[in-house]
Amino acid sequence: ITPGVYYNPMWVYKRTVNDVDEEGNPNNINPTVVGTDIPLRDIINTGDSPIGTSEGRDGNDKADFQSWYYVDPNKEGAKEYMQGMIKYFKDMGYGFMKIDFIRQGHYFYGQEAMEKCYRWWREAAGDDFILSLANARQVNYMEAEAEYADLNRISADTNGWKRLSEENRGRVQRSEWDTMRNGFDAYNYFADQGGDGPKSGAIILDGDHTRTNQLTADETKFSISIKVLGGGGIQMSDTVENSINDN
C-alpha cells in the first residue's frame, strides 16, 4: 500500500517561522528555505496587515489559517519551498497528497498566483505522485484544476443523505467554493469533466468520501453509483466503533 498525506504546500507552520518553541521561547535556529539562504519569514505575509482587495474580497483577510501562514507565490523562494515540500513527502515514500483549503490562497493572492502554484506543484509531483485538490474556487469550470491536478473536490464535506442529495439543490456559485453544495448537483454540473463527457479524462471528480455510518444501505449504493457513473473517485469511511469490535 502506498500511503498518502494531507497537506498544503502553501502552509508554513507559524511556530517555525517565528522561530520559537511550544512555550514561545526563542529557538535561535533562523530557519531558511531548503537549498537557499532565504529566511522562511521572507516568503510569507505574516498577517500583520491586510492582503489586498483582489478577487472581490473586502480586504480584511490575512494570509494565515489556523496554525499556518500561507506562502506568498510572488516572493523569491516560494517556488523552492513549495516544491521542496512535495519532494520531502515523495522521498519518504508517499504517493498521494490531499491539498485542502486552496480557496484561502485564491483570496490572499488571486487566481493568477494560484495557477502558478498549481504549475509548480505539478512539476514537483511528476507523473508518479497524485495531487488531489480540495476547497478550490474552480474558476472557469475548474479550468486550471483540470490542467494540473489528478483529482478535484467538487462538493462540500460529506454529511449524510441531505448533503449528498438535496442540500441547496440547484444553487450554483460559479468560480467560488463551494460551487455546488451537494454531491448529486456537483456530479451533474461537472459532468463534462468526468465519465463520458467531452473533457473526460482530464481529471477525476471527487465528491468526498462515502461515510457508511451516515447512510442507509440503499443510500450507500446511490453514493457509490453516482461516483462510478460520474467518473469520480471512490473513498469509503466509517467510525472506529463500527469498524473495530469484539468480532
Side-chain angles (χ1 to χ4, degrees):
I1 296 176
T2 302
V5 61
Y6 177 94
Y7 195 75
N8 187 325
M10 297 186 80
W11 289 343
V12 189
Y13 195 42
K14 289 181 178 179
R15 189 153 53 83
T16 303
V17 173
N18 296 330
D19 200 15
V20 295
D21 62 19
E22 294 182 358
E23 284 72 40
N25 302 310
N27 280 328
N28 298 316
I29 296 173
N30 301 315
T32 59
V33 177
V34 172
T36 78
D37 58 0
I38 301 171
L40 278 183
R41 66 177 66 256
D42 287 356
I43 66 170
I44 51 95
N45 184 299
T46 61
D48 291 335
S49 60
I51 308 304
T53 56
S54 63
E55 303 293 324
R57 305 298 290 175
D58 62 11
N60 292 322
D61 286 309
K62 293 179 172 61
D64 65 347
F65 175 74
Q66 296 181 359
S67 298
W68 302 278
Y69 294 124
Y70 270 68
V71 171
D72 185 342
N74 302 305
K75 294 192 174 185
E76 182 182 2
K79 177 181 179 180
E80 290 80 1
Y81 174 82
M82 287 190 269
Q83 291 190 332
M85 290 307 303
I86 292 176
K87 181 179 184 299
Y88 172 76
F89 287 110
K90 286 188 68 174
D91 289 347
M92 286 201 297
Y94 289 89
F96 176 101
M97 180 177 286
K98 166 71 174 289
I99 305 175
D100 207 353
F101 294 103
I102 292 174
R103 76 175 189 273
Q104 306 292 345
H106 285 281
Y107 297 153
F108 297 148
Y109 304 118
Q111 176 66 15
E112 183 177 346
M114 285 309 305
E115 290 184 17
K116 182 163 56 176
C117 290
Y118 289 170
R119 184 172 67 253
W120 292 343
W121 300 348
R122 184 77 272 166
E123 289 174 358
D127 296 327
D128 59 347
F129 188 88
I130 296 172
L131 295 179
S132 178
L133 308 187
N135 233 235
R137 293 185 64 200
Q138 308 182 112
V139 173
N140 294 330
Y141 202 61
M142 73 165 75
E143 181 178 24
E145 289 78 15
E147 180 175 357
Y148 295 109
D150 298 295
L151 293 87
N152 187 59
R153 182 72 171 279
I154 58 173
S155 57
D157 290 356
T158 186
N159 190 22
W161 174 251
K162 184 176 181 180
R163 179 68 56 80
L164 173 64
S165 175
E166 62 189 69
E167 190 170 320
N168 291 347
R169 173 68 66 83
R171 186 199 69 177
V172 180
Q173 297 188 109
R174 291 180 176 84
S175 297
E176 185 57 89
W177 180 262
D178 42 31
T179 306
M180 311 296 293
R181 187 69 172 169
N182 69 77
F184 180 80
D185 278 349
Y187 276 109
N188 278 280
Y189 181 75
F190 289 113
D192 283 356
Q193 298 280 15
D196 292 325
K199 299 181 181 179
S200 177
I203 197 165
I204 297 172
L205 305 179
D206 178 11
D208 206 14
H209 55 121
T210 297
R211 284 189 61 179
T212 56
N213 66 302
Q214 294 183 335
L215 303 170
T216 66
D218 286 341
E219 290 168 351
T220 299
K221 291 178 183 178
F222 176 87
S223 176
I224 296 172
S225 296
I226 195 173
K227 293 174 181 180
V228 172
L229 293 171
I234 299 175
Q235 308 107 336
M236 304 293 294
S237 65
D238 202 335
T239 62
V240 173
E241 290 80 4
N242 290 340
S243 302
I244 302 175
N245 53 49
D246 293 338
N247 297 319

